[in-house]
Every structure is written in C-alpha cells, then in structure tokens.
Amino acid sequence: MDQDQKSHAAWRQAFHHKRNAGMIISGRKDAKYGTFVFQYDAPSQTLHIRSTTGRALVLPYVYVPFVSSNNCTN
C-alpha cells in the first residue's frame, strides 16, 4: 500500500468514526418515553431499541448529554 492509500484509509476511518459517533433521536408527545422506538434508562445508562421487525436491542453504557426527566425511566 503506498502513502496515498494509507493516508486515504486513515482519513476514511476518522471520517466514519466522527460521522457515527453521535445520533439525534427526536421524540413525540404522545409516546410514553418520547419515542416509540427508543427508550433510555438514565440510572443504568442503557438504550433500548425496538426495530421495525419487533426485535429488541439493548445498548449498555450509552452517554446522553441531556435527558429531560419526563422522558426517561427512573
């Protein structure tokens, strides 16, 4: 691999890391937790995700910089 390819590979890896480092989840007033797909449990810092097929996914150690107390479990 020549220098240009290494440089591009490093740039691409840094780009993907920055692009995928955060996510915005918008809420709804009529959903119990603000959204029907995502539920954040602040005390345990876990994010519960329900896919469109109904499959449940739990992500531990999720940091949310701002969480309103009325849209997360206690």
Side-chain angles (χ1 to χ4, degrees):
M1 194 181 275
D2 67 7
Q3 186 62 29
D4 289 336
Q5 289 174 328
K6 288 180 183 177
S7 176
H8 178 71
W11 170 85
R12 185 178 167 102
Q13 182 179 9
F15 172 77
H16 283 282
H17 176 73
K18 288 285 188 181
R19 183 185 71 179
N20 298 326
M23 178 172 47
I24 296 173
I25 302 170
S26 62
R28 298 172 54 131
K29 289 183 179 181
D30 60 344
K32 181 177 179 182
Y33 296 100
T35 176
F36 293 109
V37 178
F38 299 94
Q39 295 176 2
Y40 181 66
D41 183 22
S44 66
Q45 292 186 326
T46 55
L47 181 64
H48 300 260
I49 303 171
R50 185 177 48 223
S51 72
T52 56
T53 61
R55 183 174 178 213
L57 178 65
V58 178
L59 301 174
Y61 310 112
V62 175
Y63 170 71
V64 177
F66 174 78
V67 176
S68 175
S69 62
N70 65 350
N71 63 357
C72 67
T73 58
N74 292 324

